[in-house]
């Protein structure tokens, strides 16, 4: 049987400084990538030459793309970051039951569709608190709810609690008809939509009636301690710093907390700092806590969504603000 053909590709970095951080102390990160994927790596200045089989080289390019994304977001790379990204990329499109989320009817698995989503799912599995930040369409909320439903069905937790800040994005709550429940329902609707994608509507209603699943505005969580639960805060960029502290301290024994948000979609007054941005800065060095950044490459909605996100990011008026 013929040996697979060897290919060679180059990855060009932005600077020598990026190369130093990416390679790690005494090139430890490069050696880990080389030994895991079975490729030959030659580093020259700000360029990495990759030699190996077509598949191994392609995987290595994906690993370096993910590592560079992590470096841009947190200004450092840890050995754990490298190991996690290697595991996710090696799983690739062949992800099976171990990395999928068994939440759909009929025993079907919902699998991460990008390397970034794979890191997100793995972070939720391995940590008690996961913060995920990314633009619209990257699956932040959907995968968080999927993880929660999976743990509920496995018996790992007894209940799900899903919360959102009731912050206006243009319209005022007072202009909506009905009592307070009717007024906050539009803010909670996306969470209902995610649940209904994963379970029969009758099951969702039964769980809601029995308080197995609870969906509520963030302000309603004050004074509670939640044990053996998955607790999700969605649209967390609209939580204030005191609200974020209040939410994070609801965690009880046997619980997981997942916080999702998009820091570019902040609807708080300009004078109020987002609790999500504050939490990322304040909590980044705490153990058993993961901060995952998703990007435009992780958008899995209609292809136009990725282009729309990029168009708004390139808005010159936004850059001047």
């Amino acid at each position: 049987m013929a040996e697979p053909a060897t290919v060679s590709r180059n990855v060009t970095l932005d600077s020598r400084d990026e190369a130093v951080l990416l390679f790690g102390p005494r090139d430890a990160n490069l050696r880990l990538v080389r030994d895991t994927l079975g490729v030959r790596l030659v580093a020259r200045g700000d360029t990495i030459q990759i030699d190996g089989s077509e598949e191994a080289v392609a995987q290595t390019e994906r690993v370096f793309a993910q590592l560079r994304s992590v470096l841009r977001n947190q200004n450092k790379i840890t050995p754990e970051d490298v190991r996690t990204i290697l595991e996710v990329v090696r799983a690739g499109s062949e992800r099976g039951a171990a990395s999928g989320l068994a939440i759909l009817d009929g025993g079907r698995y919902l699998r991460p569709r990008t390397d970034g989503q794979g890191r997100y799912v793995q972070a939720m599995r391995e940590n008690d608190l996961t913060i995920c930040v990314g633009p619209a369409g990257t699956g932040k909320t959907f995968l968080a709810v999927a993880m929660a439903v999976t743990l509920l069905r496995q018996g790992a937790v007894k209940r799900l609690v899903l919360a959102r800040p009731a912050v206006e994005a243009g319209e005022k709550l007072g202009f909506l008809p009905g009592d307070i429940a009717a007024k906050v329902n539009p803010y909670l609707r996306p969470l209902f939509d995610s649940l209904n994608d994963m379970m029969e509507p009758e099951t969702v209603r039964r769980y809601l009636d029995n308080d197995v699943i609870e969906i509520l505005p963030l302000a309603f969580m004050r004074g509670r301690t939640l044990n053996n639960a998955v607790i999700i805060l969605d649209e967390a960029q609209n939580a204030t710093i005191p609200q974020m502290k209040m939410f994070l301290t609801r965690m009880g024994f046997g619980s997981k907390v997942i916080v999702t948000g998009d820091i570019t979609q902040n609807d708080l007054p300009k004078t109020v700092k987002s609790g999500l941005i504050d939490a990322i800065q304040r909590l980044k060095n705490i153990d058993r806590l993961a901060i995952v950044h998703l990007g435009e490459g992780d958008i899995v909605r209609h292809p136009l969504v990725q282009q729309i996100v990029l168009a708004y990011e390139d808005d010159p008026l936004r850059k001047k603000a």
Side-chain angles (χ1 to χ4, degrees):
M1 184 175 177
E3 292 290 328
T6 298
V7 299
S8 180
R9 296 200 188 117
N10 290 333
V11 174
T12 302
L13 307 176
D14 292 336
S15 66
R16 178 60 182 164
D17 290 340
E18 182 188 20
V20 169
L21 293 172
L22 187 66
F23 297 169
R26 299 182 180 180
D27 295 342
N29 296 342
L30 287 186
R31 290 197 300 273
L32 183 55
V33 172
R34 178 198 66 193
D35 296 343
T36 303
L37 298 180
V39 293
R40 178 173 178 266
L41 299 177
V42 179
R44 298 187 182 93
D46 59 356
T47 301
I48 309 169
Q49 179 179 319
I50 311 168
D51 299 320
S53 69
E54 181 76 40
E55 180 180 6
V57 169
Q59 287 181 332
T60 306
E61 288 180 310
R62 288 166 54 193
V63 166
F64 282 127
Q66 287 290 307
L67 288 172
R68 296 180 72 190
S69 176
V70 169
L71 187 57
R72 283 192 295 271
N73 285 305
Q74 61 188 38
N75 298 316
K76 66 177 182 178
I77 296 174
T78 67
E80 185 60 32
D81 292 328
V82 182
R83 285 191 289 269
T84 297
I85 289 170
L86 280 166
E87 184 174 341
V88 168
V89 169
R90 288 184 71 192
S93 60
E94 300 300 322
R95 293 184 185 99
S99 59
L101 297 168
I103 47 77
L104 301 180
D105 289 332
R108 292 178 295 138
Y109 285 94
L110 173 69
R111 295 179 176 86
R113 294 173 61 182
T114 70
D115 293 334
Q117 288 187 349
R119 286 192 291 114
Y120 179 30
V121 169
Q122 186 154 333
M124 289 188 287
R125 288 189 186 281
E126 296 178 351
N127 294 276
D128 294 333
L129 170 57
T130 303
I131 299 174
C132 182
V133 179
T138 51
K140 303 182 300 295
T141 302
F142 191 81
L143 288 173
V145 175
M147 176 60 72
V149 171
T150 299
L151 294 174
L152 180 66
R153 286 182 166 172
Q154 291 174 347
V157 297
K158 295 181 179 179
R159 61 187 310 203
L160 313 182
V161 179
L162 301 91
R164 265 189 159 206
V167 175
E168 298 92 343
E171 298 86 4
K172 297 294 183 182
L173 275 174
F175 294 158
L176 297 173
D179 57 15
I180 185 62
K183 289 178 185 293
V184 300
N185 184 66
Y187 296 98
L188 307 178
R189 191 72 252 167
L191 299 174
F192 283 105
D193 290 343
S194 294
L195 283 171
N196 286 326
D197 283 340
M198 299 169 199
M199 295 187 287
E200 292 295 331
E202 295 79 8
T203 303
V204 175
R205 283 194 292 271
R206 186 174 74 253
Y207 282 170
L208 288 168
D209 290 341
N210 295 328
D211 287 334
V212 175
I213 296 177
E214 189 173 1
I215 304 178
L216 72 169
L218 174 59
F220 289 16
M221 294 193 65
R222 188 173 300 279
R224 305 178 65 184
T225 299
L226 299 167
N227 298 314
N228 301 308
V230 177
I231 314 159
I232 298 173
L233 176 59
D234 191 34
E235 298 290 346
Q237 74 276 2
N238 289 330
T240 64
I241 294 175
Q243 286 176 329
M244 181 64 73
K245 178 183 177 183
M246 178 272 292
F247 173 80
L248 294 176
T249 53
R250 300 310 93 198
M251 179 192 293
F253 292 105
S255 291
K256 279 184 180 286
V257 170
I258 305 168
V259 176
T260 70
D262 178 357
I263 58 177
T264 69
Q265 298 293 324
N266 187 339
D267 297 314
L268 292 169
K270 291 184 178 180
T271 56
V272 179
K273 184 176 180 179
S274 167
L276 176 60
I277 295 174
D278 177 78
I280 292 171
Q281 297 167 344
R282 191 185 298 267
L283 307 177
K284 59 185 177 183
N285 295 320
I286 295 180
D287 292 335
R288 298 172 69 183
L289 182 156
I291 300 174
V292 179
H293 294 264
L294 300 180
E296 292 78 14
D298 298 301
I299 294 174
V300 293
R301 289 181 182 170
H302 191 286
L304 277 177
V305 173
Q306 188 174 50
Q307 298 178 47
I308 291 168
V309 169
L310 288 171
Y312 275 92
E313 286 194 346
D314 291 337
D315 184 358
L317 295 177
R318 180 173 172 265
K319 291 179 179 178
K320 288 182 180 179

